[in-house]
């Protein structure tokens, strides 16, 4: 997800700092000791959000209604991280009314100005009571900056597994590729963002939009454009226009505007 992750949804990197030791007089010792204090090996980051609609790769998983979301990530100075993220859902027998994503991976610079993020995510639906909708998803992305612009390209692949079932009742796979562009507006707290993604597989936007899905329904595009800004300390707000290709189903795959209020720590 990963808009959930995703878009969400998402990992933080701890940047190590080194301080050179220098001679100091006795009166300066406390300041010198404070400067020499090493950075912690682990950092913890998280957020809590209220969204007007939970859109996962363009498709609403909250029935077009608001959702509460939140996550936490623990990152080691080596770039290794683990975390969890959750969102409320529109209740269904298979998925219940909650999504819980558990993930782990590594992120770090692999070339000058180029960052790799790779890991494994497990989608869990703890309140589902019909069948098994849980599934695994390996992911990887590369990101870099050009001036105020940040560009990311990524891929996620779900192999054939128990939690992914096509219209014929067989296990199926799914491939998702995407690109994100974020541009910070100089002199303002505003960031303008764009996203485009392509799905090929059982999780395509309109695979379940029709009673008898065809091969063409196994593929689809999703996109969004929006802006976000920090308004007060850790509080930020955002708004995005989101759309998907294929049939438009109200509260599911119809184009919509999504507002977000987030508190980060």
């Amino acid at each position: 997800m990963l808009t959930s992750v995703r878009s969400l949804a998402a990992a933080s990197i701890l940047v190590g700092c080194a301080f050179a030791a220098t001679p100091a007089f006795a009166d300066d010792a406390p300041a010198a000791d404070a400067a020499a204090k090493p950075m912690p090996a682990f950092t913890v980051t998280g957020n809590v959000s209220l969204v007007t609609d939970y859109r996962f790769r363009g498709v609403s998983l909250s029935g077009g209604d608001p959702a509460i979301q939140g996550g936490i990530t623990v990152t080691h100075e080596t770039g290794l991280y683990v975390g969890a993220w959750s969102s409320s859902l529109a209740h269904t027998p298979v998925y219940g009314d909650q999504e819980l994503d558990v993930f782990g991976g590594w992120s770090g610079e692999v070339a000058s100005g180029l960052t790799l993020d790779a890991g494994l995510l497990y989608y869990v639906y703890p309140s589902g009571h019909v069948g098994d909708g849980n599934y695994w998803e390996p992911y990887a992305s590369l990101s870099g900056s050009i001036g105020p612009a940040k560009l990311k390209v990524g891929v996620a692949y779900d192999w054939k597994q128990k939690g992914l079932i096509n219209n014929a009742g067989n296990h199926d796979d799914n491939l998702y590729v995407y690109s994100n562009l974020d541009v910070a507006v100089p002199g303002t707290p505003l960031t303008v963002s764009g996203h485009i993604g392509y799905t090929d597989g059982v999780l395509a936007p309109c695979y379940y939009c029709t009673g008898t899905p065809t091969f063409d329904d196994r593929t689809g595009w999703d996109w969004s454009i929006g802006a976000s800004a920090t308004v007060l300390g850790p509080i930020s707000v955002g708004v995005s226009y989101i759309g998907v290709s294929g049939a438009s189903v109200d509260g599911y795959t119809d184009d919509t505007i999504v507002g977000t209020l987030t508190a980060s720590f």
Side-chain angles (χ1 to χ4, degrees), residues 97-261:
D97 53 17
Q98 181 193 5
E99 174 185 329
L100 174 63
D101 302 343
V102 182
F103 55 87
W106 178 86
S107 183
E109 194 172 67
V110 293
S112 179
L114 190 64
T115 298
L116 170 68
D117 183 6
L120 180 63
L121 190 151
Y122 186 42
Y123 295 90
V124 184
Y125 302 94
S127 57
H129 58 275
V130 174
D132 183 359
N134 303 343
Y135 63 97
W136 296 89
E137 183 178 83
Y139 59 87
S141 68
L142 288 171
S143 60
S145 299
I146 302 177
K150 295 182 179 180
L151 177 65
K152 175 189 284 188
V153 292
V155 60
Y157 178 71
D158 314 302
W159 65 87
K160 293 182 180 180
Q161 50 190 295
K162 188 176 181 179
L164 298 177
I165 301 176
N166 61 26
N167 193 54
N170 300 319
H171 297 163
D172 213 337
D173 65 349
N174 191 81
L175 173 68
Y176 185 68
V177 293
Y178 67 93
S179 179
N180 296 337
L181 178 64
D182 300 311
V183 180
V185 180
T188 76
L190 190 67
T191 297
V192 178
S193 303
H195 161 87
I196 187 167
Y198 175 76
T199 304
D200 185 345
V202 70
L203 297 178
C206 280
Y207 191 71
Y208 293 104
C209 288
T210 58
T212 307
T214 66
F215 179 80
D216 291 337
D217 291 320
R218 285 180 51 87
T219 64
W221 295 87
D222 70 276
W223 58 85
S224 68
I225 184 168
S228 61
T230 300
V231 293
L232 180 64
I235 308 298
S236 62
V237 296
V239 62
S240 297
Y241 181 88
I242 300 175
V244 294
S245 61
S248 178
V249 178
D250 186 38
Y252 182 58
T253 57
D254 54 330
D255 290 6
T256 191
I257 296 175
V258 173
T260 304
L261 175 64

Side-chain angles (χ1 to χ4, degrees), residues 10-99:
S12 60
I13 306 303
L14 173 63
V15 180
C17 297
F19 296 91
T22 56
F25 295 103
D27 290 344
D28 297 328
D33 291 343
K37 185 178 180 180
M39 295 292 288
F42 293 92
T43 56
V44 179
T45 57
N47 61 78
V48 177
S49 298
L50 174 64
V51 298
T52 58
D53 190 358
Y54 172 24
R55 291 275 169 154
F56 175 68
R57 298 171 185 172
V59 177
S60 177
L61 299 186
S62 60
D65 295 328
I68 298 175
Q69 304 174 336
I72 188 168
T73 301
V74 180
T75 306
H76 188 255
E77 60 187 353
T78 60
L80 293 171
Y81 63 84
V82 294
W85 181 89
S86 185
S87 177
S88 57
L89 303 175
H91 182 83
T92 60
V94 175
Y95 302 111
D97 53 17
Q98 181 193 5
E99 174 185 329

